[in-house]
Amino acid sequence: MVQSISVAFQGEPGAFSEEAVLAYFGEDGAAGPTAARLAVPTWRSVFEAVRDGSADAGVVAIESSLAGSIRETYDLLAEFYDAGIRIVGEVSVPVRLALVALPGQTLDWIERVYSHAQALAQADEFLRTRDWQVMTTYNTAGAARMIAENRERRAAAVAAPRVAELYGLEVLASDIQTGDENRTRFAVLGRAGAFSPRDAADVPRKTTLVFAVRNVPGSLNRCLGTFASRGVNLSRLESRPARTARWEYVFWVDVDADAAEPACTAALAELATEAEMVHVLGSYPRTGED
């Protein structure tokens, strides 16, 4: 068992992707190997760090319960497939947002609000209650850090509440997100044999794959039928542009089974005879969504 690993995440300390690292690996390695957290600027940088070996694992947002799929992540999964990067786990993180600012500021003093576009959208109902100038940044925690380092008064950031303590800020308003059920699902990335994911022997498993159909009548129906005929459930199906030819698409699938289970193995073998391309991105423990 690896005792300590490095895990890359996008953003600054305090970002939701760092919360995903903590949720999956634990603060002290209690859920698996101890994780040294490596902040990188972009989702692509996470994949590159895992590919190049500067990180043993990576954590990337893959789906929002409010906004849907994080399409950039799916494109990167396809791009880095040949580099051997696979999904080895997943974790679901609740989205809790706060408005944070320099100490001594009040809501009435705030003129400008910074955050990532997705966080601003998730807090839109709250932000529309006042006539603030709203501006996007690359990361929620990065917005908070910018205000702290620049000592920018009359400015606030929408971010996770814990960034206030990290950057010496104060919470002006809590739970400003729209609704209480919003969560973001993160994929844990790794290379084959690079580290041992946390033990989850009793947890149901899932498989993520991408395939391309032949341009003939009924091909998609036959591809999906390979699973249906064996009673294997597909919990998610989404089409994406293939990016290799105009107006052609690939299909991303989450299967409620491990690829090594006999029924799923047989379905994948038949799928390979019907589809133009099949890439299995990983089989891993399925997270609870509550």
Side-chain angles (χ1 to χ4, degrees):
M1 170 69 71
V2 177
Q3 296 301 310
S4 179
I5 65 171
S6 58
V7 183
F9 69 92
Q10 186 271 338
E12 304 280 352
F16 282 104
S17 50
E18 186 187 39
E19 291 194 12
V21 176
L22 296 174
Y24 186 84
F25 291 97
E27 289 275 3
D28 56 3
T34 302
R37 303 187 294 278
L38 173 65
V40 297
T42 65
W43 299 123
R44 176 176 290 276
S45 299
V46 175
F47 281 81
E48 291 173 342
V50 177
R51 179 198 63 192
D52 298 340
S54 55
D56 300 300
V59 171
V60 291
I62 196 167
E63 185 177 14
S64 164
S65 62
L66 182 67
S69 300
I70 312 298
R71 296 193 169 189
E72 181 182 358
T73 299
Y74 282 96
D75 289 340
L76 289 167
L77 283 167
E79 180 179 341
F80 284 81
Y81 176 82
D82 289 338
I85 295 178
R86 300 291 183 267
I87 302 174
V88 299
E90 67 175 4
V91 61
S92 178
V93 175
V95 176
R96 295 289 181 266
L97 296 173
L99 192 72
V100 299
L102 291 173
Q105 302 287 285
T106 68
L107 284 175
D108 291 336
W109 289 2
I110 298 302
E111 297 175 351
R112 302 171 300 283
V113 176
Y114 301 95
S115 195
H116 187 275
Q118 193 168 84
L120 293 173
Q122 292 167 345
D124 181 64
E125 288 187 14
F126 171 80
L127 296 175
R128 283 190 282 108
T129 63
R130 293 175 180 262
D131 188 22
W132 286 321
Q133 183 182 7
V134 177
M135 290 172 282
T136 60
T137 60
Y138 88 105
N139 181 255
T140 54
R145 181 175 182 174
M146 177 187 69
I147 289 173
E149 291 182 346
N150 294 339
R151 306 303 297 172
E152 186 173 350
R153 303 182 66 82
R154 298 192 177 276
V158 174
R162 74 187 188 96
V163 306
E165 181 178 355
L166 288 174
Y167 298 117
L169 303 175
E170 291 182 349
V171 174
L172 301 186
S174 300
D175 289 324
I176 64 173
Q177 70 281 348
T178 300
D180 296 324
E181 302 301 322
N182 189 15
R183 304 181 74 91
T184 299
R185 185 164 64 94
F186 290 82
V188 182
L189 308 176
R191 302 182 312 280
F195 79 101
S196 298
R198 64 181 180 182
D199 185 16
D202 297 330
V203 176
R205 295 176 70 83
K206 69 192 291 185
T207 297
T208 295
L209 61 100
V210 58
F211 68 88
V213 300
R214 302 183 192 282
N215 190 20
V216 296
S219 182
L220 177 59
N221 181 63
R222 289 189 293 274
C223 286
L224 298 180
T226 65
F227 297 98
S229 64
R230 294 172 173 85
V232 179
N233 185 58
L234 307 184
S235 57
R236 184 174 175 278
L237 173 67
E238 181 176 346
S239 64
R240 294 277 293 122
R243 304 185 72 183
T244 55
R246 188 180 303 165
W247 314 126
E248 291 189 6
Y249 293 82
V250 296
F251 294 87
W252 289 86
V253 176
D254 283 344
V255 181
D256 288 341
D258 191 284
E261 295 177 23
C264 189
T265 298
L268 290 170
E270 184 179 346
L271 176 64
T273 68
E274 176 63 38
E276 287 193 339
M277 173 273 290
V278 180
H279 288 165
V280 176
L281 273 299
S283 291
Y284 49 94
R286 193 165 66 223
T287 185
E289 296 299 329
D290 56 349

